[in-house]
Amino acid sequence: MTALTLFDLVKRSMRKNIKHYYLYFFALILSVVLYFVFATLQYDAAVAEQGTGTMGTAFQVAGILLIVIAGIFIVYANAIFLKRRSREIGLYQLIGLTKRAVARLLILENMLLGIMALIVGIAVGMLVSRVFLLLLMKLIGYEAFIEVSFSTAAVTQTFFVFLAIFVLTTIQMVFTVYRNSLLSLFNSEKQGQHPRKPKTAVSAVLALLGIGLIGFGYWLSGRMLNAMIFFNMLAVLATVILGTYLIFRVTISWLLYRIRRSKNGHLGLENSLSLAPLMHRMKSNANSLTIITVLSAMTLTMIASAYSMYYSTERETQAIMPFDFMFENEAGLADDISQELDDNGISYQREAVETFVVPAEFEEKPAPFLEQATDIALLSSEQLQQAGVDVSAPENGEASFHDVSVSTLFNSVDLPFDLTFQDEVPTTLSVTEIAQYNVLNWSFFTSQIVVNEETYQSMKEQLVGETGETALQRMDGFHVAEEDMAAASAIYQQDKYKVSEPHVDYYSSYEGSVQSNGLLIFIAGFLGLVFLISTGSILYFKQMTEAEQEKQSYATLRQLGFTVKDIMRGIVRKQAFVFGLPLAIGLAHSIFAIQAASFLFRTDILFPASVAMGVYALIYLVFAVLAVGYYRKTVEAAL
């Protein structure tokens, strides 16, 4: 066979298989578009100007994850594509083509598809990259005009990445041709699994074990914060994954068998079109459904956590920095900056707060990661209120504890508890509140206790000695009008005011948090979108394949007088299971995973987590609707 004849055969094959090729071609183009957009952002001048070393590292790590996701997606789509063409591959060999010639034909087809996908994908990527760049800049707070430039480096990187993926798919094609016999190629679409009667006792035990493992993982996820936190994380991951596999592999199969048995074999049309196909394919689908469910949960957790961090940026910054900036025992510098703020017409409020730091000891060790003895700064609620800090006044002998860095570790501690200050005559305070905010900026580093003015003066008289071992400290705190924050921050960041590190103010901290959290949610959302489209497409492709395999059954049902509406009721029930169950279990997993990670947040994350999950579920629903639509077309054409 000449090269020209082989090329003609390739062209005829591609025209004949256009209905099969468009799925694989779509998978290739989509992967190229998304990766090229990501590579373009990685090399964009505006991103580089705003970025730091952390941003560059984040893009590199995310790029590797994107390559892995895209690679798995394309290889899996190619496997479905090859399975649907297995009969054609067998026919080529039956008419006299050698396996080598068939492999060359498939390789040439794959090369042509790859070249076209790269050209189309890069062209589309250039068109949509500006949208993603604008979104990224919006998230990190960049307001200047943005112009997207053509990146040769992005094109080159995309080319070599997908060249490597095409090599993998080429190996996959060659392996399919040489591994399978003619008989297996002609029967591949007929392969099914006859559901065997499960061993009642064993299946029941394993079914309950799957549910029990997931329940144990959920229970442990709410009790992870102790000295064995890393072991707990591994235990939760292992039990949830194994439990999920048993749910799909055993529990559901056992339940479906019990349902069929309860009907004495009289399933009816709807159950025959939903329950029976699920039983036949549950064993082969258990692995893929488990992987999709677990990875969906991890993706949801990543997206919800990233969105929660971005959503609560302002409140989190306010919690750690009650003052716009603060001077510690530097009244002279506070006077200087006050004068400079006045000269620049900046509105502000300045108040001095007195405090002193003394060693204290908890009645018992409050949490695994905290020491029983620590240094504590005492402050008066009255002075803080005058300084503009929203804090309540405790009763005599009582106190509120303020330290954002460790406050979440006290979630399991029963209130009130005693805190003893060591002196010749030890003084004990009853801590009645663990506040989720500081009363001094985080740069002060020490945990803070707030008491009322009377208690403060009494303890000051007792604990602050004339020897100077415990000395009074003066904190000059500034509150700046919102419209003047940027200008005041620029003044505060001048070298002449930098007497110690860290030298931080509210505005620059907030801007830095917006940039890092904006980058985090962009990368998490981008990877989540890629993963969601990949897994949704995989499920959609599998349902398309199953629809083609079941087409003859639909034709028979139509000939018996059943309407399209009758048949579709059973099919919709099947799709609700195939798409709905992994999503439902994945959502449940992510809810408990977010709950386990809630100690990272000091604000309510219910709204951002709900929004992330809602959007995720909505996109999944789109794929389910597409699958139902394809089934409807198949049923309508089956007569």
Side-chain angles (χ1 to χ4, degrees):
M1 180 177 290
T2 64
L4 179 61
T5 305
L6 180 62
F7 187 72
D8 288 340
L9 187 58
V10 168
K11 290 191 295 183
R12 286 197 295 268
S13 173
M14 293 182 72
R15 283 196 299 267
K16 176 186 175 183
N17 289 289
I18 188 66
K19 67 177 183 179
H20 299 315
Y21 273 116
Y22 85 89
L23 293 173
Y24 184 52
F25 194 50
F26 164 78
L28 290 177
I29 292 176
L30 180 65
S31 300
V32 172
V33 168
L34 292 174
Y35 186 80
F36 177 75
V37 167
F38 201 82
T40 299
L41 296 180
Q42 184 177 355
Y43 292 107
D44 188 82
V47 176
E49 179 183 345
Q50 288 296 307
T52 60
T54 303
M55 182 176 286
T57 303
F59 267 103
Q60 291 175 3
V61 173
I64 294 173
L65 292 176
L66 186 58
I67 292 171
V68 172
I69 295 173
I72 294 174
F73 177 39
I74 292 175
V75 169
Y76 197 94
N78 188 48
I80 296 176
F81 174 64
L82 288 173
K83 186 174 182 180
R84 296 184 68 178
R85 294 187 61 198
S86 57
R87 186 178 182 84
E88 177 190 349
I89 294 173
L91 283 173
Y92 284 139
Q93 297 183 42
L94 194 63
I95 62 175
L97 289 180
T98 63
K99 289 190 174 183
R100 181 178 180 182
V102 175
R104 288 172 59 197
L105 183 148
L106 293 176
I107 291 171
L108 185 55
E109 288 182 7
N110 193 44
M111 184 177 68
L112 291 174
L113 280 176
I115 293 173
M116 289 188 292
L118 276 173
I119 294 173
V120 175
I122 290 175
V124 174
M126 289 179 183
L127 295 176
V128 302
S129 58
R130 178 173 174 81
V131 175
F132 284 94
L133 179 59
L134 288 171
L135 177 61
L136 173 60
M137 291 298 144
K138 180 67 176 177
L139 289 172
I140 66 175
Y142 184 73
E143 301 294 342
F145 177 76
I146 300 171
E147 182 177 355
V148 180
S149 57
F150 176 77
S151 174
T152 305
V155 174
T156 304
Q157 184 170 310
T158 303
F159 173 79
F160 282 107
V161 164
F162 282 90
L163 177 62
I165 293 176
F166 293 150
V167 169
L168 286 178
T169 56
T170 298
I171 294 172
Q172 186 182 18
M173 289 177 171
V174 173
F175 187 70
T176 299
V177 172
Y178 279 90
R179 182 192 62 177
N180 293 294
S181 63
L182 274 176
L183 185 61
S184 64
L185 288 171
F186 279 104
N187 292 328
S188 64
E189 292 191 356
K190 299 179 181 179
Q191 290 176 358
Q193 298 171 2
H194 184 72
R196 295 181 301 173
K197 176 182 177 181
K199 297 178 181 179
T200 306
V202 175
S203 296
V205 170
L206 291 177
L208 293 174
L209 178 61
I211 297 173
L213 285 171
I214 292 178
F216 174 78
Y218 287 174
W219 174 83
L220 185 59
S221 67
R223 295 163 175 80
M224 294 176 58
L225 206 58
N226 54 47
M228 301 178 66
I229 184 171
F230 296 109
F231 172 80
N232 292 340
M233 292 172 62
L234 294 175
V236 168
L237 193 63
T239 54
V240 169
I241 291 176
L242 180 57
T244 303
Y245 176 77
L246 289 176
I247 287 287
F248 285 114
R249 179 66 180 83
V250 181
T251 307
I252 294 175
S253 298
W254 182 74
L255 288 174
L256 293 178
Y257 175 80
R258 299 298 297 181
I259 294 173
R260 189 179 71 168
R261 183 179 178 183
S262 69
K263 296 181 180 296
N264 295 319
H266 303 291
L267 295 178
L269 179 63
E270 291 186 11
N271 286 329
S272 296
L273 292 173
S274 56
L275 187 147
L278 292 172
M279 293 181 68
H280 279 264
R281 295 188 174 94
M282 186 50 64
K283 181 179 179 180
S284 61
N285 288 340
N287 291 337
S288 60
L289 289 177
T290 299
I291 293 172
I292 288 173
T293 300
V294 173
L295 292 181
S296 293
M298 295 175 67
T299 304
L300 268 170
T301 303
M302 175 183 67
I303 295 173
S305 298
Y307 182 43
S308 298
M309 293 178 70
Y310 183 80
Y311 177 81
S312 59
T313 298
E314 183 175 1
R315 284 176 291 176
E316 292 282 327
T317 309
Q318 289 175 347
I320 64 174
M321 301 196 70
F323 295 100
D324 286 301
F325 48 86
M326 189 179 73
F327 289 95
E328 180 181 344
N329 293 323
E330 294 290 348
L333 290 179
D335 292 337
D336 292 342
I337 200 171
S338 296
Q339 183 62 50
E340 192 165 354
L341 293 175
D342 290 333
D343 293 341
N344 285 273
I346 294 175
S347 301
Y348 68 95
Q349 175 191 355
R350 172 191 172 185
E351 293 289 343
V353 177
E354 186 181 80
T355 185
F356 57 93
V357 180
V358 290
E361 188 172 302
F362 294 100
E363 185 178 17
E364 57 183 35
K365 191 174 182 179
F369 302 101
L370 295 175
E371 298 296 332
Q372 189 167 353
T374 185
D375 287 336
I376 297 288
L378 270 76
L379 295 105
S380 163
S381 59
E382 182 176 320
Q383 293 183 39
L384 289 169
Q385 290 167 356
Q386 291 176 355
V389 179
D390 184 14
V391 63
S392 58
E395 299 293 331
N396 287 333
E398 296 181 354
S400 58
F401 182 90
H402 300 258
D403 189 345
V404 168
S405 62
V406 298
S407 59
T408 53
L409 299 177
F410 285 87
N411 288 341
S412 59
V413 177
D414 294 329
L415 294 175
F417 61 84
D418 290 339
L419 188 62
T420 302
F421 296 86
Q422 302 299 327
D423 196 46
E424 294 180 1
V425 180
T427 303
T428 299
L429 290 177
S430 177
V431 177
T432 57
E433 178 189 1
I434 302 295
Q436 300 299 314
Y437 58 93
N438 291 343
V439 291
L440 296 177
N441 287 3
W442 69 266
S443 55
F444 186 65
F445 290 122
T446 307
S447 299
Q448 303 124 44
I449 287 287
V450 175
V451 296
N452 62 28
E453 179 67 17
E454 182 180 345
T455 303
Y456 176 79
Q457 293 298 336
S458 174
M459 296 188 68
K460 172 184 172 182
E461 183 178 347
Q462 178 182 345
L463 297 175
V464 179
E466 296 180 358
T467 61
E469 294 179 0
T470 302
L472 289 176
Q473 299 186 49
R474 175 187 169 114
M475 304 293 171
D476 285 279
F478 288 77
H479 291 290
V480 180
E482 185 175 353
E483 63 273 12
D484 294 326
M485 282 185 178
S489 175
I491 293 173
Y492 177 75
Q493 289 298 330
Q494 295 178 88
D495 290 338
K496 61 183 178 181
Y497 297 118
K498 295 180 181 179
V499 294
S500 62
E501 293 293 339
H503 186 75
V504 294
D505 63 277
Y506 172 84
Y507 181 80
S508 60
S509 295
Y510 172 73
E511 291 293 306
S513 295
V514 167
Q515 186 179 95
S516 58
N517 291 338
L519 175 64
L520 180 63
I521 190 177
F522 178 82
I523 290 178
F526 198 95
L527 292 177
L529 177 64
V530 173
F531 174 79
L532 179 57
I533 292 175
S534 300
T535 54
S537 298
I538 287 172
L539 286 176
Y540 176 56
F541 293 167
K542 285 175 68 69
Q543 293 311 298
M544 292 181 70
T545 302
E546 292 179 13
E548 293 293 332
Q549 294 173 352
E550 297 165 2
K551 189 173 183 178
Q552 186 57 47
S553 300
Y554 302 145
T556 302
L557 290 172
R558 294 287 304 279
Q559 291 168 358
L560 291 174
F562 291 103
T563 65
V564 173
K565 185 177 181 180
D566 294 332
I567 296 173
M568 287 305 300
R569 279 198 293 264
I571 290 174
V572 168
R573 290 176 61 177
K574 176 188 172 186
Q575 298 311 303
F577 176 92
V578 171
F579 285 91
L581 191 62
L583 177 62
I585 298 178
L587 285 171
H589 289 352
S590 64
I591 288 171
F592 282 90
I594 292 172
Q595 178 186 359
S598 61
F599 70 92
L600 296 173
F601 309 100
R602 285 166 290 276
T603 53
D604 185 12
I605 62 172
L606 177 62
F607 175 76
S610 299
V611 169
M613 293 180 183
V615 172
Y616 195 93
L618 184 62
I619 297 177
Y620 236 86
L621 178 62
V622 171
F623 284 102
V625 171
L626 290 175
V628 171
Y630 188 86
Y631 265 94
R632 180 177 293 277
K633 291 180 181 178
T634 304
V635 173
E636 290 173 346
L639 189 61

